[in-house]
């Protein structure tokens, strides 16, 4: 069983309420401050056990009057319930929290790491596209890929991720720099099993830089091909700082100074910081600071700047290394040689030191104006650094408007302005003003905002039934406007086989009457100069009755008064409709306390006892229906109604901490204790009972916070108390001085007085400040009509007041509470005040985003964004919609609407209307609304462009010119003039051409354009139309034109064969696109051997020749061939191939030179080496045979080392010398471990001779002459040695 709980606890000192919740769920993004205001626990737990999903949140708190450090209370839960679920739905799932407090993921029983992510994802997946179950056939879908700019650590193996799903399972291949990447040819590169992920292994050597480039993954099965992004692989670089000797920098006191860093260019760029050579950080202020470029700027130099040196440091991310530049040393010339520290705080420090004051001037940027370009969504950083005496102050302004307060922040002592998440409205002119008492100057920065492509409508997978219609839409925006290119299965749509059921209309592909054969994967690539977006969307044609994808008859248990969601995953084609029923009867559940999401999930906004029962979901399409049931059980919350209290105890006494709990009897209760937020070890001095913890013989180590945790399978409650232990002799005279500072107690006795129509006075009695003065009070309110149970911040007041007048809005039933704040944290919220309802009033605003657009040629749909509930100001909010023809001054038409749209019928085609939408409730109308201009529906254009003129620019492009149509014939908004053209025939005889119609659009009211990408040497026909929002108008007169000859495409199927070592045969086919009359072929080839390259040879052939034989100059060299076709215009694209490598060619290694590699491949050299090796082997065998037959050798008189008198063989002048003789010779040494260690080598060539002489110098073993004396006894003594020698065995057989 896996249990996951999210709790919002009290925050540490410097963090406001709810900051940890915002940190964990939004990764630092801004969240509403009331998410956890005053909350000490909000529980969201899920338990998955044998198919039972348990979702809950903590329940009600204790009744009024309960004291102590309560962590879970009724009003606390009500205040955050709605906000918490909104946060959970909008948040990104992340790992466990960063601290011990805030939102904590607490897991019992060490669940797997995916458990909490799965639960959060389950809570977030309230909508989205329906996916095809994996047991059904489907095209590939990319599920994981590396980032577009993939920077890798050169010390690690390279991993380029690409994973995809599909049925059948897809196969993978890669391109590198737009060419097929043959993985099998590179031993370092492998592909993970059942995945397209590339692994490049450098454990056996290699340079990662060799693999830099642009990679793209293709996942293919029989239904289509999906593409990954183009992944640019780069290897991280951290170059060394160039060596340099820096002379001391001499500067006059008061003068400006810039110390340049100039770090080595790294990838990614290093982080720059300045320190002294003793690794002390350089203190920075508005006078001395580091610029964004890494340089250190002194607005004016002072004498104390000489007290240290200055070294620029660069920290590189991947290598985790810091490189330090040689330090700068300053020498300050001054009129006041004594560095009197008392002058540093002198009101006129510069005059006191004899430094002349001067007006500001800019150190960076130079001049009075500059410009900067930034991309949409990035951060804009503007910087102004000025010099002057005294040090200037910097202020920032925007011409014609204010700085965006929600996105702008000042950095580096106001010298830098950062605007986050830049948008188009942030463009304009900004200026920085540098001023001191001597004057001011300013610098203007013109900011231009461009944009890489971003999605307006990203294409989504299209699941259709046979015969259904559908469309793929790919809309993106950017600056400049991005271009859209469609591909199918990785190939341009223009080159795909024609599909009569498919029509391309700019950014939309329309499918009509689709069939099974229409299955494919489409790619939309939209790009401009700043980037690109690539999206895959498959078209799957299936005929599947509804099916349920989740286990049947699930049990879901939830806590009372919380929100829950019942999931019913389903699939079918056509897409089924889904409805929910309760207890098998009643109407479809949707509205009120229920909400059904697009994916079929049913949300119950607030669980009540009567919501318990059996819920049935039914999915239906034309092929049938399927249903599933979910049983919902409602449980009471777990709450601690008697909590442990803070206690002060003397050492050696006994302390009891109470913890009494009320819970649902059907759930198992577990009570545990924490000390200082860690699990408490129950020692023999402690006794844990069901409702208390007793500590006997209290010691100093027992001091700390104790938390009682009462938990069930669904929820938990916590209560905390602090135990202070006093030493025997340390009884303080001032009790408050001995107590630790704590959060204030809650305010109490809230009272409403001075009741007015739009205000009320709230008075409260402050709680104990717990030894830390109260600094602020936060007043919160809750209303019971639109968002019951949700508390919102109303206002904030100083800690010195306990009464305030609150401004109120109309038609709200208010309830208030107060939270006290000191330097430790926030108190628990006070008990709520009595309710006060304000009277209603007419609305003070009108709906926003009013639009008027036609959906048909004879109507206009008026839409708006409805007002939220808090702006209604009264019951029965409705809208008065007015409209009339513009410039006709006719009377206004009006109608009252309760929704957010109204359709005006029987309108003329595309005429402007004046529109007004005014809010109204039972108390009256809102203010007079603004007038909005809308348009009725468009009709097809009535006229075609006239006087169309065509001018041929080259073999693949033409220029068009036409006369514009009259505006009244457009019957809508002119989108573009569009040219339809098709290839009628080729000027080459018997060449089949595709007559597929193509189009080129010219947006706006233009009179000329260029059509490109035509086929040369062809006859074309062309028609033009006018296009508006409804579609195409009539076609113009058909024009014909002919394109001239062009250069041909590359010859097809260029084959290089090598039947023997003397000749190479070349064969090729004619080009697929001759683009004119072929006049021949040009073959260029060159011989090469390793790095040696011969002279290039050029051969020209007739247009009918498709074979050629090359005589090889030698059997070793390889050849590189380049073949192209020619027309009268010139040579076309060349195709290049290389001859196969000879069978005996060896790949030279880097350890040899080219000449050595050439010799090693010669046959005579290989034969010579084999002969030498054979001779050496024979000599070794003979030597071993002679050696193994050695016995007793007579020692000549010249032997240097005499035999001892005890030697029994002394008389005949011989001694035993064999492999088995363990007796050490004289002159040898015995090592510590008992083995024989010769002072010299113990062997010589004499051993292998019979009576030969051997005389050796100091490198020999000894000097002597030996003769062989064969003795029967000695021969027998050597038998064992010979028997164990394989050489002797061979000899005996011989």
């Amino acid at each position: 069983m896996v249990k996951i709980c999210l709790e919002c606890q009290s925050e540490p000192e410097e963090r406001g309420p709810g900051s940890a919740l915002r940190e964990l769920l939004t990764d630092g993004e801004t969240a509403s401050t009331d998410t956890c205001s005053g909350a000490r626990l909000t529980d969201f737990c899920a338990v998955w056990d044998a198919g039972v999903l348990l979702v809950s949140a903590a329940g009600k708190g204790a009744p009024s009057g309960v004291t102590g450090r309560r962590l879970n209370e009724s009003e606390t839960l009500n205040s955050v319930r709605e906000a918490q679920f909104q946060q959970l739905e909008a948040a990104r799932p992340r790992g466990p929290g960063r601290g011990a407090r805030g939102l904590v993921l607490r897991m019992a029983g060490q669940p797997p790491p995916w458990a909490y992510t799965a639960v959060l994802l389950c809570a977030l997946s309230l909508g989205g596209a329906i996916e095809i179950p994996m047991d059904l056939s489907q095209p590939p879908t990319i599920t994981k890929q590396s980032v577009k700019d993939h920077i890798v650590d050169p010390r690690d193996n390279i991993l380029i991720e690409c994973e995809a799903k599909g049925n059948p399972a897809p196969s993978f291949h890669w391109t590198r720099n737009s060419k097929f990447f043959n993985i099998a040819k590179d031993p370092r590169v492998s592909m993970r099993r059942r995945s397209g992920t590339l692994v490049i292994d450098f454990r056996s050597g290699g340079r990662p830089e060799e693999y830099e480039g642009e990679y793209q993954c293709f996942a293919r099965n029989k239904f289509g091909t999906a593409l990954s992004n183009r992944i640019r692989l780069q290897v991280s670089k951290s170059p060394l700082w160039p060596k340099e000797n820096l002379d001391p920098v001499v500067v006059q006191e008061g003068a400006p100074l810039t110390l340049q860093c100039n770090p080595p260019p790294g990838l990614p760029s290093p982080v720059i910081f300045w320190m002294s050579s003793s690794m002390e950080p350089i203190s920075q202020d508005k006078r001395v600071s580091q610029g964004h470029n890494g340089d250190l700027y002194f607005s004016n130099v002072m004498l104390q700047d000489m007290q240290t040196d200055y070294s620029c440091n660069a920290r590189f991310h991947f290598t985790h290394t810091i490189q330090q530049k040689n330090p700068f040393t300053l020498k300050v010339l001054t009129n006041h040689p004594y560095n009197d520290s008392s002058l540093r705080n002198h009101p006129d420090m510069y005059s006191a030191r004899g430094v002349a004051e001067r007006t500001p001037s800019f150190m960076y940027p130079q001049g009075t104006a500059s410009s900067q370009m930034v991309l949409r969504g990035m951060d804009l950083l503007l910087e102004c650094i000025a010099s002057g005496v005294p040090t200037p102050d910097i202020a920032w302004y925007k011409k014609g408007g204010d700085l965006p307060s929600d996105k702008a922040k000042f950095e580096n002592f106001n010298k830098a302005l950062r605007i986050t998440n830049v948008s188009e409205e942030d463009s304009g002119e900004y200026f920085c003003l540098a001023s001191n008492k001597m004057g001011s100057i300013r610098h203007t920065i013109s900011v231009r905002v461009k944009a890489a492509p971003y999605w307006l409508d990203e294409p989504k997978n299209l699941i259709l039934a046979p015969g259904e219609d559908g469309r793929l839409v790919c809309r993106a925006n950017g600056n400049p406007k991005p271009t859209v290119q469609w591909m199918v299965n990785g190939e341009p749509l223009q080159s795909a086989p024609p599909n009569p059921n498919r029509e391309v209309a700019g950014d939309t592909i329309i499918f009509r009457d689709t069939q099974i054969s229409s299955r494919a994967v489409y790619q939309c690539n939209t790009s401009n100069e700043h980037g690109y977006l690539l999206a895959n969307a498959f078209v799957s044609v299936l005929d599947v009755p509804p099916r349920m994808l989740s286990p049947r008859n699930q049990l879901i248990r939830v806590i009372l008064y919380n929100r829950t969601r019942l999931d019913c995953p389903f699939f079918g084609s056509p897409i089924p409709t889904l409805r929910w029923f309760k207890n098998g009867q009643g109407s479809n559940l949707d509205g009120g306390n229920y909400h059904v999401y697009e994916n079929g999930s049913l949300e119950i906004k607030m669980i009540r006892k009567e919501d318990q029962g059996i819920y049935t979901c039914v999915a239906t399409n034309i092929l049938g229906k399927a249903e599933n049931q979910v049983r919902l059980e409602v449980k009471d919350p777990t709450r601690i109604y008697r909590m442990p209290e803070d206690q002060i105890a003397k050492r050696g006494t006994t302390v009891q901490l109470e913890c009494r709990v009320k819970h649902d009897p059907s759930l198992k209760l577990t009570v545990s204790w924490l000390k200082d937020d860690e699990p408490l070890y129950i020692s023999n001095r402690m006794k844990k009972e069901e409702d208390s913890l007793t500590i006997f013989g209290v010691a100093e180590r027992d001091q700390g916070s104790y938390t009682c945790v009462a938990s069930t399978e669904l929820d938990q409650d916590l209560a905390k108390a602090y135990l202070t232990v006093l030493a025997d002799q340390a009884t303080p005279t001032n009790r408050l001085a001995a107590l630790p500072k704590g959060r204030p107690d809650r305010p109490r006795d809230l009272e409403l007085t001075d009741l007015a129509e739009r205000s009320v006075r709230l008075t409260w009695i402050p709680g104990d400040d717990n030894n830390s003065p109260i600094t602020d009070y936060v007043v919160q309110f809750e209303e019971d009509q639109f968002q019951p149970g949700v508390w919102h911040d109303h206002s904030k007041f100083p800690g010195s007041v306990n009464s305030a007048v609150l401004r109120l809005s109309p038609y709200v039933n208010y309830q208030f509470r107060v939270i006290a704040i000191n330097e430790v944290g926030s108190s628990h919220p006070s008990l709520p005040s009595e309710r006060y309802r304000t009277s209603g009033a007419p609305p003070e605003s009108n709906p926003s985003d009013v639009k008027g657009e036609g959906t048909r040629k004879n109507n206009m749909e008026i839409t708006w964004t409805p007002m939220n509930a808090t702006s209604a100001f009264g019951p029965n909010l409705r809208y008065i919609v007015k409209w009339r023809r513009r410039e006709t001054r006719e009377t206004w038409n009006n109608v009252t609407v309760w929704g957010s749209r109204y359709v005006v019928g029987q309108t003329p085609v595309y005429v402007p209307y004046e529109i007004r939408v005014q809010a109204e409730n039972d108390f009256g109308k809102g203010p007079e609304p603004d007038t909005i201009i809308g348009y009725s529906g468009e009709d097809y254009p009535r006229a075609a462009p006239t006087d169309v003129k065509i001018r041929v620019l080259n073999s693949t492009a033409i220029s068009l010119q036409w006369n514009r149509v009259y505006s009244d014939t457009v019957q809508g908004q002119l989108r573009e003039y569009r040219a339809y053209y098709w290839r009628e025939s080729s000027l080459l005889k018997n060449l089949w051409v595709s007559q597929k119609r193509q189009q080129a659009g010219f947006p706006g009211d233009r009179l000329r354009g260029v059509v490109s990408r035509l086929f040369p040497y062809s006859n074309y026909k062309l028609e033009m139309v006018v296009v508006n929002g409804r579609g195409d108008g009539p076609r113009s007169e058909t024009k014909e034109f002919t394109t001239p000859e062009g250069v041909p495409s590359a010859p097809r199927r260029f084959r290089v064969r090598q039947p023997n070592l003397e000749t190479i045969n070349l064969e090729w086919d004619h080009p697929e696109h001759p683009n004119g009359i072929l006049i021949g072929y040009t073959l260029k080839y060159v011989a090469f051997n390793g790095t040696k390259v011969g002279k290039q040879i050029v051969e020209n052939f007739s247009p009918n020749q498709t074979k050629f034989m090359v005589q090889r100059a030698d059997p070793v060299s390889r050849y590189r061939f380049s073949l192209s076709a020619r027309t009268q215009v010139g040579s076309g694209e060349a195709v290049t191939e290389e001859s196969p490598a000879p069978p005996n060619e060896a790949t030279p290694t880097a350890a040899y030179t080219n000449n050595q590699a050439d010799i090693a491949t010669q046959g005579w050299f290989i034969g010579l080496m084999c002969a030498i090796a054979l001779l050496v082997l024979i000599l070794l065998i003979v030597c071993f045979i002679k050696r193994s037959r050695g016995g007793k050798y007579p020692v000549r008189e010249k032997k240097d080392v005499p035999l001892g008198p005890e030697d029994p063989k002394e008389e005949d002048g011989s001694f035993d010398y064999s492999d088995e003789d363990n007796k050490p010779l004289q002159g040898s040494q015995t090592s510590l471990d008992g083995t024989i260690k010769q002072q010299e080598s113990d062997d010589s060539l004499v051993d292998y001779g019979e009576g030969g002489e051997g005389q050796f110098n100091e490198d020999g073993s000894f000097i002597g002459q030996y003769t062989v004396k064969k003795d029967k006894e000695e021969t027998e003594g050597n038998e064992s040695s010979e028997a164990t020698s394989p050489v002797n065995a061979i000899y005996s057989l011989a």
Side-chain angles (χ1 to χ4, degrees), residues 335-599:
N335 298 324
H336 196 296
Y338 301 104
N339 187 15
D340 190 349
S341 59
S342 64
L343 295 178
R344 294 186 183 181
N345 300 320
H346 194 278
D348 201 356
M349 175 183 63
Y350 295 97
S351 298
R353 294 198 53 82
V355 177
E357 297 178 338
R358 51 187 174 82
T359 57
S361 62
F362 282 112
M363 305 175 70
Y364 180 87
Q366 300 290 333
T368 59
S370 60
S371 63
Q372 194 165 332
M373 190 275 286
V374 64
L375 291 181
R376 179 181 187 270
M378 306 297 287
D379 284 3
L380 169 65
L381 184 66
L382 305 178
E383 191 173 34
C384 282
I385 301 176
S387 65
V389 179
T391 303
D393 294 312
I394 305 292
W396 290 91
Y397 304 92
K398 183 179 181 182
K399 289 186 178 180
D402 297 329
L403 296 176
S405 58
D406 56 332
K407 300 191 298 181
K409 60 180 180 180
F410 302 105
E411 300 177 353
N412 197 17
F413 311 100
N414 270 26
K415 298 177 184 180
L417 170 65
R418 183 182 297 274
I419 300 178
T420 59
N421 192 21
V422 169
S423 56
E424 285 78 1
E425 55 265 25
D426 294 321
S427 60
E429 290 191 350
Y430 297 76
F431 68 89
C432 58
L433 184 69
S435 59
N436 62 12
K437 67 179 183 179
M438 301 300 294
S440 63
I441 58 170
R442 75 176 187 174
H443 182 94
T444 302
I445 305 175
S446 178
V447 174
R448 295 174 294 114
V449 178
K450 301 290 186 179
Y454 56 93
W455 290 119
L456 299 178
D457 284 306
E458 184 177 2
K460 302 293 191 300
N461 292 337
L462 193 58
I463 305 171
L464 301 173
E468 274 192 324
D469 298 342
R471 63 177 56 202
L472 292 177
V473 180
C474 176
R475 292 194 181 100
N477 201 1
N479 187 5
K481 182 73 175 176
T483 59
V484 174
Q485 179 192 14
W486 283 102
M487 294 181 288
V488 56
N489 296 329
E491 299 293 334
L493 195 60
Q494 295 84 349
S495 60
N499 184 347
N501 305 107
R502 179 181 66 210
E503 178 185 347
V504 180
D507 56 13
T508 304
I509 301 181
I510 302 172
F511 300 90
R512 295 186 175 88
D513 191 22
T514 54
Q515 302 301 320
I516 298 294
S517 60
S518 300
R519 289 185 288 195
V521 183
Y522 289 82
Q523 290 85 30
C524 174
N525 186 86
T526 174
S527 61
N528 64 12
E529 62 189 63
H530 302 299
Y532 75 94
L533 294 173
L534 176 67
N536 292 274
F538 65 66
V539 176
S540 185
V541 183
L542 298 171
D543 213 0
V544 181
R547 60 161 69 177
M548 292 296 169
L549 304 180
S550 61
R552 302 186 63 83
N553 303 319
Q554 294 184 74
L555 170 63
I556 295 182
R557 297 187 290 174
V558 297
I559 294 297
L560 187 65
Y561 302 127
N562 285 290
R563 178 185 298 187
T564 192
R565 194 187 74 256
L566 310 181
D567 290 326
C568 183
F570 65 94
F571 181 77
S573 182
I575 301 298
T577 58
L578 187 128
R579 295 178 297 167
W580 283 89
F581 302 93
K582 181 183 177 186
N583 295 329
Q585 60 185 4
S587 60
N588 182 28
L589 299 177
D590 196 4
N593 198 34
Y594 302 100
H595 178 67
V596 179
Y597 290 91
E598 291 181 4
N599 66 350

Side-chain angles (χ1 to χ4, degrees), residues 41 60 104 180 186 191 347 383 470 525 585 672 709 821 1053 1055 1126 1215 1234:
L41 169 69
K60 292 184 177 180
V104 180
F180 175 71
D186 194 330
M191 190 182 298
E383 191 173 34
N525 186 86
Q585 60 185 4
S672 59
V709 182
I821 301 175
R1053 291 189 285 276
R1055 303 174 295 282
R1126 305 193 313 275
F1215 66 96

Side-chain angles (χ1 to χ4, degrees), residues 1171-1187:
I1172 293 174
L1174 183 60
L1175 290 174
V1176 171
L1177 180 61
I1178 293 172
L1179 287 174
L1180 288 176
I1181 292 175
V1182 172
C1183 290
F1184 275 115
I1185 291 173
K1186 296 297 184 179
R1187 175 69 176 81

Side-chain angles (χ1 to χ4, degrees), residues 309-350:
D309 53 11
Y310 301 85
S311 177
C312 184
N313 295 260
R315 179 170 60 86
F316 293 90
H317 170 68
F318 277 92
T319 58
H320 302 290
T321 58
I322 296 177
Q323 296 187 26
Q324 189 176 52
K325 185 176 183 178
N326 287 342
F328 290 95
T329 303
L330 295 189
K331 182 178 181 181
V332 180
L333 305 179
T334 179
N335 298 324
H336 196 296
Y338 301 104
N339 187 15
D340 190 349
S341 59
S342 64
L343 295 178
R344 294 186 183 181
N345 300 320
H346 194 278
D348 201 356
M349 175 183 63
Y350 295 97

Side-chain angles (χ1 to χ4, degrees), residues 969-1190:
T969 65
V970 178
Q971 299 198 112
Q973 182 181 5
L974 176 62
R975 297 289 180 89
E976 65 179 11
Y977 288 93
R978 184 178 296 166
Y980 289 98
Y981 58 95
W982 62 96
R983 191 181 183 190
E984 187 71 18
S985 63
S986 172
L987 294 179
L988 296 173
K989 295 180 179 181
N990 302 323
L991 181 63
W992 180 88
V993 299
S994 171
Q995 295 184 348
K996 178 182 177 181
R997 296 172 68 91
Q998 296 177 290
Q999 67 183 41
F1002 310 101
D1005 191 14
R1006 298 169 57 181
L1007 298 179
R1008 57 180 56 86
V1010 174
V1011 178
S1012 58
R1013 302 180 67 179
L1014 302 174
F1015 285 98
Y1017 213 53
S1018 301
N1019 295 317
Y1020 275 88
K1021 290 185 178 181
L1022 178 143
E1023 298 171 344
M1024 292 202 66
V1025 298
V1026 178
V1027 182
N1028 64 11
R1030 186 73 185 276
D1032 295 359
R1035 282 165 168 71
S1036 68
E1037 176 187 359
T1038 302
K1039 296 287 186 178
E1040 298 183 359
F1041 63 93
T1042 301
T1043 54
E1045 275 191 281
V1047 295
S1049 61
R1052 292 180 296 169
R1053 291 189 285 276
F1054 185 31
R1055 303 174 295 282
V1056 179
R1057 295 186 177 91
Q1058 185 173 298
N1060 50 56
L1061 296 179
E1062 287 75 27
T1063 62
I1064 299 175
N1065 294 335
L1066 309 178
E1067 296 182 13
W1068 62 89
D1069 294 345
H1070 295 301
E1072 181 180 6
H1073 301 293
N1075 296 335
I1077 300 174
L1078 290 180
I1079 63 173
Y1081 295 92
T1082 298
L1083 174 68
K1084 300 177 182 179
Y1085 61 96
V1086 63
F1088 66 94
N1089 186 351
T1091 58
K1092 294 183 177 179
V1093 179
K1095 182 179 179 182
Q1096 179 174 280
I1097 302 174
V1098 180
E1099 300 280 356
N1100 291 314
F1101 309 122
S1102 67
N1104 295 325
Q1105 182 174 348
T1106 59
K1107 296 181 179 179
F1108 183 67
M1109 183 174 68
V1110 177
Q1111 293 290 337
R1112 297 180 61 135
D1114 61 79
V1116 176
S1117 298
R1118 297 178 62 188
Y1119 288 81
R1120 185 177 295 114
F1121 301 95
S1122 176
L1123 179 69
S1124 61
R1126 305 193 313 275
T1127 63
Q1128 293 289 353
V1129 178
S1131 295
E1133 179 185 358
V1135 59
T1136 302
E1137 292 290 343
E1138 292 183 359
S1139 63
N1144 61 347
E1145 181 175 333
T1147 302
T1149 64
Y1152 292 90
T1153 65
N1154 295 329
N1155 292 334
Q1156 289 171 320
D1158 295 341
I1159 293 174
T1161 60
Q1162 304 299 316
W1164 63 267
F1165 181 77
I1166 296 174
L1168 178 62
M1169 292 296 102
C1170 291
I1172 293 174
L1174 183 60
L1175 290 174
V1176 171
L1177 180 61
I1178 293 172
L1179 287 174
L1180 288 176
I1181 292 175
V1182 172
C1183 290
F1184 275 115
I1185 291 173
K1186 296 297 184 179
R1187 175 69 176 81
S1188 62
R1189 297 183 62 193

